[in-house]
């Protein structure tokens, strides 16, 4: 497989046969990263315009959610997903190496973001960090989608959580990535999830909707 620098159009969330797969879940997380960085940019612009009513909520969302989710997403790819893909698809090794290098470029921007969001009384720095992060993230996600997505289409099992605490963590993650996804896609995704996780999703989704409103 040739390494693609980008995709002419976004890959389909569902497989050609209409079923969900691990590719669907990866693409849903990409959707959430793009959705939320746009929200951060808009929120910081509102702070610059003088509306400071949501500063604390925005700071918490960066520190406790977005930057952690993005960093852990990269860690899971580098330590689990990418080595597995390399072993099954050696022709993707060069693309995966590029993706890992991109992760290393994004990490320092996240660290600068920590300092910027700790000082939202001066929001210009946060605005600059977000612009830089969006540029890097757009390039990274497009490259990943062009080169990695297809290799995940045949994987249609999601591991059952080891305990209730892990199920809660998974439910929180899915509630974050599901917001804004078409109902027909979500219906197929739910078919892949264990019952303990499906049962927790309505509560987790309601909590994420409320958090989104606060921020």
């Amino acid at each position: 497989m040739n390494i693609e620098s980008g995709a002419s159009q976004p890959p389909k969330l569902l497989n050609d046969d209409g079923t969900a797969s691990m590719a669907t879940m990866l693409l849903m997380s990409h959707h959430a990263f793009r959705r939320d960085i746009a929200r951060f940019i808009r929120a910081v612009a509102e702070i610059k315009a003088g509306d400071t009513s949501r500063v604390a909520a925005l700071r918490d969302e960066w520190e406790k959610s977005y930057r952690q989710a993005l960093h852990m997403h990269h860690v899971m790819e580098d330590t689990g997903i990418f080595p597995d893909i390399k072993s099954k698809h050696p022709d993707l090794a060069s693309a995966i190496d590029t993706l890992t290098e991109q992760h290393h470029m994004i990490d320092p921007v996240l660290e600068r973001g920590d300092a910027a969001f700790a000082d939202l009384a001066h929001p210009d720095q946060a605005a600059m960090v977000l612009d830089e992060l969006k540029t890097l993230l757009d390039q990274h996600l497009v490259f990943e989608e062009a080169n990695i997505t297809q290799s995940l289409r045949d994987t249609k099992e999601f591991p059952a959580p080891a305990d209730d605490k892990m199920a809660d963590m998974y439910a929180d993650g899915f509630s974050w990535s599901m917001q804004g996804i078409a109902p027909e896609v979500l219906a197929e995704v739910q078919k892949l999830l264990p019952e303990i996780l499906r049962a927790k999703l309505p509560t987790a989704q309601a909590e994420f909707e409320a958090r989104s409103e606060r921020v």
Side-chain angles (χ1 to χ4, degrees):
M1 182 183 297
N2 293 329
I3 297 176
E4 300 288 345
S5 60
S8 57
Q9 59 183 9
K12 296 177 181 178
L13 289 175
L14 297 178
N15 290 359
D16 289 340
D17 63 0
T19 61
S21 64
M22 289 302 293
T24 309
M25 298 179 187
L26 176 72
L27 294 170
M28 284 169 48
S29 70
H30 287 189
H31 150 80
F33 286 129
R34 289 177 171 121
R35 177 199 68 211
D36 285 357
I37 197 165
R39 289 174 169 176
F40 272 108
I41 290 171
R42 185 167 64 248
V44 169
E46 291 174 358
I47 294 172
K48 290 176 68 175
D51 181 0
T52 60
S53 61
R54 300 185 181 185
V55 164
L58 188 65
R59 182 184 297 116
D60 283 350
E61 190 67 17
W62 171 268
E63 293 176 351
K64 299 176 182 178
S65 181
Y66 190 82
R67 71 97 65 222
Q68 295 295 336
L70 184 55
H71 176 68
M72 290 309 301
H73 179 78
H74 291 169
V75 169
M76 287 189 293
E77 286 184 332
D78 291 340
T79 60
I81 296 173
F82 287 171
D84 182 63
I85 293 175
K86 265 188 176 182
S87 69
K88 295 174 180 175
H89 303 277
D91 54 316
L92 292 176
S94 180
I96 288 171
D97 289 344
T98 297
L99 289 166
T100 300
E101 291 171 4
Q102 291 173 342
H103 289 173
H104 295 158
M105 293 173 64
I106 290 171
D107 283 342
V109 182
L110 294 180
E111 292 176 4
R112 293 203 300 277
D114 293 342
F117 276 88
D119 185 26
L120 284 174
H122 305 90
D124 286 345
Q125 187 62 36
M128 288 192 297
V129 168
L130 289 170
D131 285 344
E132 182 179 358
L133 180 59
K134 185 178 185 302
T135 297
L136 291 174
L137 196 58
D138 284 344
Q139 295 170 348
H140 175 68
L141 297 181
V142 168
F143 187 83
E144 185 167 274
E145 288 162 1
N147 290 282
I148 299 301
T149 304
Q150 197 59 35
S151 67
L152 299 173
R153 293 289 187 190
D154 292 333
T155 304
K156 299 185 177 184
E157 295 181 2
F158 188 82
D163 52 38
D164 200 60
K165 183 178 180 180
M166 183 175 288
D168 285 336
M169 181 183 70
Y170 284 167
D172 287 345
F174 274 105
S175 69
W176 165 76
S177 67
M178 285 177 164
Q179 190 186 60
I181 299 294
E184 59 269 23
V185 174
L186 298 182
E188 291 299 319
V189 169
Q190 294 225 25
K191 293 177 183 179
L192 303 185
L193 303 181
E195 174 57 32
I196 186 175
L197 184 49
R198 289 199 303 270
K200 290 179 177 291
L201 276 175
T203 298
Q205 287 175 294
E207 290 175 351
F208 183 71
E209 290 288 345
R211 199 173 90 210
S212 296
E213 285 296 317
R214 287 196 302 274
V215 177

